[in-house]
Amino acid sequence: MDHKMIKKILNHYQTPLYCFDIRRLKDRIHYFRSVFPENVRLCYAAKANTFILKEITEDVDFYEICSPGEMDICERLNIPKQKIVLSGVYKEKKDLQRLIEHDDETAVYTVESLQQLLMLVEISLNCQRLIHVIIRLSSGNQFGVDQECLRYIIENRQHYPYLHIKGIQYFSGTQKHSLQRIKKEITMLTDLISKLQQLYQFETEVLEYGPGLPVDYFLGSHFDEEPYLEGFSQLLRQLNPKMEIVLEIGRSLAACCGYYLTKVVDVKTNRDENYAIVDGGIHHLVYYGQSMAMKTPQYELIRDHEEIAHDQLPEKWNICGSLCTINDILIKQLAVNELKIDDIFVFANTGAYCPTEGISLFLTRDLPDIVLIKDEYLQSVRLSKKTSFFNQPYYTDL
């Protein structure tokens, strides 16, 4: 995001705030489309960032929804049911009952236990409605069912007359930098699909796979994405071309579109250590794998005052948030010339999980503004009390 755009945003909105660049988001989706085989569909994991759901309705094939709250958001946004994959390790019967009664038999429901299966069987019989399901295979944790249970369900599928078992869902983690690990998982799934066909004459129509594609968050790290995605695409081409492959992607899709802006509100030196306090903090800036700011996130520093002379050595600064905890450190020992109050830090790659995973209610500080950057205007998605006080309009022309 260029400095001119940042200044424009700061003329209308208060820090701390998130900005999501919708053009950048859509370009990212289209890039994935160009890399992956034609039988691959994209499923956006809503938990990564629910504020951008409406913007990509025409760009993604499905949304993975994991809670009643996320489903409520989809309903308010009029997201079509045929785009919904209702997932989640815990599903309440009343929620399933309500959804299925009003479903047009197009949504897909995951099965993560025999208890969930029995609930779906009962509801489908009572409603006399067809339900499309996929069975989640566990990767060795509390999610999904093991292979023995999966085979049991497939073997006895004739007892579920209103369940259409379409296939399998599998997800084993995030930030996978190893193509060998993905190759091993795809080989395992290919063998399982083949055995299901041989033993039970079950044709897997859909494989929903969460690859856990990695994202570079920190300075000094470099992930060469292009050859990685090409290698991944070659692995996908080895699967049955008649089978629909649905890639569940959240972080890798949305991270690049987000920016987090926070302002320096105080500076001081304690025992020869320089500290800059910003009006945001770790309740908003949540990066995968960051621990006590031992890594430096990708950032820009925006300020109005004149730059320091080139012959002046940078000082070391600890950038801390506004929470009452010593853990609220965004960057340690950042080398920068003379930080001042009102300087703005712009942190990149905050489009995934930062707005949904942070401990936003800690100390009951106000939630940040959320702004969408569109081609011709800014759109307010959420305004804090202090911004709303100034009667900020819903749209701001660029």
Side-chain angles (χ1 to χ4, degrees):
M1 187 164 56
D2 61 47
H3 288 203
K4 183 178 179 181
M5 175 64 72
I6 294 170
K7 293 293 181 68
K8 175 77 172 179
I9 292 169
L10 292 173
N11 283 338
H12 293 279
Y13 297 93
Q14 307 286 310
T15 58
L17 77 151
Y18 296 111
C19 302
F20 303 127
D21 187 333
I22 301 306
R23 174 50 51 198
R24 187 172 176 84
L25 174 64
K26 287 176 176 285
D27 287 346
R28 179 69 171 169
I29 297 171
H30 296 160
Y31 171 62
F32 279 154
R33 296 277 193 201
S34 70
V35 172
F36 297 137
E38 291 185 0
N39 63 327
V40 168
R41 304 291 177 261
L42 296 180
C43 178
Y44 174 62
K47 60 181 175 288
N49 185 343
T50 53
F51 296 98
I52 60 176
L53 294 183
K54 186 65 173 178
E55 304 304 319
I56 55 175
T57 304
E58 302 300 322
D59 302 277
V60 299
D61 301 292
F62 304 102
Y63 294 98
E64 192 215 18
I65 304 302
C66 292
S67 73
E70 289 180 356
M71 191 65 215
D72 287 344
I73 291 172
C74 288
E75 290 178 334
R76 290 200 302 271
L77 295 176
N78 294 317
I79 290 175
K81 288 291 196 305
Q82 64 263 28
K83 285 183 172 286
I84 300 297
V85 177
L86 189 67
S87 191
V89 68
Y90 171 51
K91 301 180 181 74
E92 291 192 63
K93 185 176 180 180
K94 63 180 178 63
D95 293 324
L96 291 173
Q97 182 88 34
R98 179 182 65 84
L99 290 172
I100 291 169
E101 285 177 350
H102 296 89
D103 190 6
D104 55 2
E105 299 186 356
T106 57
V108 175
Y109 301 80
T110 67
V111 171
E112 297 215 26
S113 69
L114 285 177
Q115 173 68 18
Q116 286 190 8
L117 176 74
L118 293 175
M119 281 197 299
L120 290 170
V121 169
E122 179 183 348
I123 295 170
S124 67
L125 287 171
N126 290 339
C127 296
Q128 300 283 288
R129 305 203 73 168
L130 182 69
I131 300 176
H132 301 284
V133 302
I134 53 178
I135 305 170
R136 181 165 184 174
L137 176 65
S138 178
S139 59
N141 46 43
Q142 73 268 38
F143 299 101
V145 299
D146 60 20
Q147 284 204 26
E148 182 180 357
C149 184
L150 186 147
R151 292 183 186 187
Y152 172 83
I153 293 171
I154 296 296
E155 184 179 10
N156 292 278
R157 64 190 184 278
Q158 71 272 15
H159 299 304
Y160 326 132
Y162 286 96
L163 294 194
H164 173 206
I165 302 177
K166 299 186 70 174
I168 299 169
Q169 181 190 55
Y170 186 75
F171 179 82
S172 67
T174 189
Q175 293 289 77
K176 296 177 190 169
H177 287 83
S178 171
L179 266 181
Q180 283 301 115
R181 180 178 173 185
I182 289 182
K183 181 178 180 180
K184 183 178 180 180
E185 292 176 352
I186 289 179
T187 299
M188 178 274 293
L189 291 167
T190 301
D191 291 343
L192 175 61
I193 289 168
S194 178
K195 289 177 182 177
L196 293 176
Q197 201 284 326
Q198 294 171 10
L199 294 174
Y200 312 115
Q201 293 73 55
F202 177 76
E203 295 292 339
T204 302
E205 301 171 39
V206 176
L207 171 63
E208 183 179 324
Y209 177 55
L213 301 177
V215 171
D216 258 351
Y217 282 126
F218 307 109
L219 297 177
S221 61
H222 178 68
F223 168 62
D224 197 353
E225 184 179 65
E226 188 173 340
Y228 181 95
L229 290 180
E230 181 56 37
F232 178 41
S233 185
Q234 291 300 325
L235 292 173
L236 293 176
R237 288 187 174 89
Q238 296 173 20
L239 294 168
N240 183 352
K242 296 181 180 179
M243 180 173 63
E244 184 177 72
I245 303 167
V246 179
L247 296 182
E248 179 207 320
I249 303 176
R251 185 188 309 276
S252 184
L253 190 153
C256 69
C257 81
Y259 302 88
Y260 176 65
L261 281 63
T262 184
K263 180 171 63 177
V264 175
V265 293
D266 201 357
V267 292
K268 54 187 170 182
T269 301
N270 289 340
R271 296 184 179 180
D272 298 324
E273 290 276 330
N274 295 319
Y275 293 92
I277 310 300
V278 298
D279 58 1
I282 60 171
H283 53 324
H284 300 155
L285 191 65
V286 183
Y287 283 119
Y288 181 88
Q290 187 178 18
S291 176
M292 289 291 290
M294 297 305 292
K295 301 177 182 178
T296 301
Q298 297 179 31
Y299 77 96
E300 283 189 77
L301 185 57
I302 309 297
R303 44 185 164 188
D304 290 326
H305 58 90
E306 294 296 324
E307 291 293 336
I308 309 302
H310 292 294
D311 58 352
Q312 182 172 336
L313 293 176
E315 303 167 306
K316 294 293 183 68
W317 288 84
N318 299 306
I319 314 303
C320 302
S322 52
L323 302 180
C324 291
T325 168
I326 61 172
N327 295 328
D328 195 4
I329 305 173
L330 302 183
I331 311 177
K332 278 186 175 180
Q333 298 295 294
L334 178 67
V336 61
N337 283 326
E338 195 179 354
L339 281 178
K340 291 186 177 181
I341 291 175
D342 291 334
D343 287 351
I344 302 290
F345 279 92
V346 181
F347 292 96
N349 284 343
T350 63
Y353 293 103
C354 283
T356 56
E357 192 177 41
I359 49 174
S360 300
L361 296 181
F362 185 50
L363 290 178
T364 320
R365 287 199 170 273
D366 200 6
L367 296 173
D369 290 356
I370 296 177
V371 181
L372 302 184
I373 305 170
K374 297 197 173 181
D375 290 334
E376 298 179 354
Y377 57 88
L378 303 174
Q379 179 181 336
S380 305
V381 175
R382 187 200 175 277
L383 295 179
S384 63
K385 288 184 291 186
K386 59 184 179 182
T387 304
S388 299
F389 178 78
F390 294 103
N391 297 316
Q392 174 64 36
Y394 186 63
Y395 294 107
T396 303
D397 291 335
L398 291 176

